[in-house]
Amino acid sequence: MFVGHYAASLAAKAIEPRAPLWSYVIAAQAIDIGWAGLLMAGVEKARIDPSLPGSTLDLYHMPFTHSLPAVVLWSLAGLLLARAARLPLGAAIAIALVVFSHWLGDLLVHRPDLQIWLGGTKVGFGLWNYPVPEQAVEIGLLGLGAAAWAFVRGRQGRSLWPVLVFMTILLAVQIIAMVMPGDGAGDAAGVGGAALAVYLVLGLIAFALDRPRRLT
């Protein structure tokens, strides 16, 4: 799951528009933003295994970002940060749910590497092992999220061009990730660094697309 995580951010924007799009976009990947930083710092661990189908990342140690207790804490932190930024309670709850949605998306595609409790059983349905169905699920979820956001904007009489631009960018990122050499072309920390850069750039793009309209 990569761009599919953004389905939750687009759906949340449609349901609770009082939070800016960029906050939902960052929330959707908050877990992986933390993972990338901890991976590069050597706190969490991953390795490249070119023999694996689909993603060649073996995510064998990430208790502080991808265990279920950690994700609950990350979600609560998202809620508290949103409230500290003076967002309404409903918007803060929506941000927290988007943060948590990341774990649910990962549960679908990851091999068993998500701890139910620290040091305990690891789970994952393993769609990564079947790249074509995994891509179909990911793009399908993204399409549903974009459709929800477009529907709400249309009912409000607002332009649909931000939806089209963001979807085009997300699909381009997904296609580039598919056609580029596999994860085995570099080390795991390098993959984390590249992913972190993409997450932050997408957050900036969301900020630019969802700026408040100026009254004239």
Side-chain angles (χ1 to χ4, degrees), residues 56-141:
T56 58
L57 276 173
D58 178 11
L59 304 166
Y60 65 92
H61 182 72
M62 46 182 187
F64 305 113
T65 56
H66 284 72
S67 68
L68 185 55
V71 172
V72 170
L73 292 177
W74 280 81
S75 301
L76 289 174
L79 188 151
L80 293 174
L81 285 172
R83 290 297 285 163
R86 300 178 181 270
L87 288 177
L89 179 59
I93 291 172
I95 286 173
L97 291 175
V98 171
V99 174
F100 188 79
S101 74
H102 186 106
W103 195 84
L104 298 176
D106 281 354
L107 181 64
L108 288 175
V109 301
H110 278 222
R111 305 172 188 99
D113 52 32
L114 306 171
Q115 293 179 358
I116 295 294
W117 60 88
L118 293 177
T121 303
K122 293 182 178 182
V123 295
F125 297 154
L127 270 180
W128 265 348
N129 293 330
Y130 309 96
V132 173
E134 190 277 330
Q135 291 291 328
V137 168
E138 191 160 357
I139 299 302
L141 289 173

Side-chain angles (χ1 to χ4, degrees), residues 173-191:
V173 169
Q174 187 76 349
I175 291 170
I176 290 170
M178 290 169 59
V179 302
M180 285 180 64
D183 298 332
D187 57 50
V191 171

Side-chain angles (χ1 to χ4, degrees), residues 3-18:
V3 300
H5 285 303
Y6 294 108
S9 64
L10 300 180
K13 182 62 177 175
I15 295 168
E16 178 47 273
R18 291 178 293 177

Side-chain angles (χ1 to χ4, degrees), residues 141-167:
L141 289 173
L142 186 60
L144 289 173
W149 187 30
F151 175 76
V152 170
R153 288 184 66 91
R155 289 192 63 180
Q156 295 171 341
R158 302 181 67 188
S159 171
L160 298 185
W161 73 263
V163 184
L164 297 175
V165 170
F166 200 53
M167 273 294 292

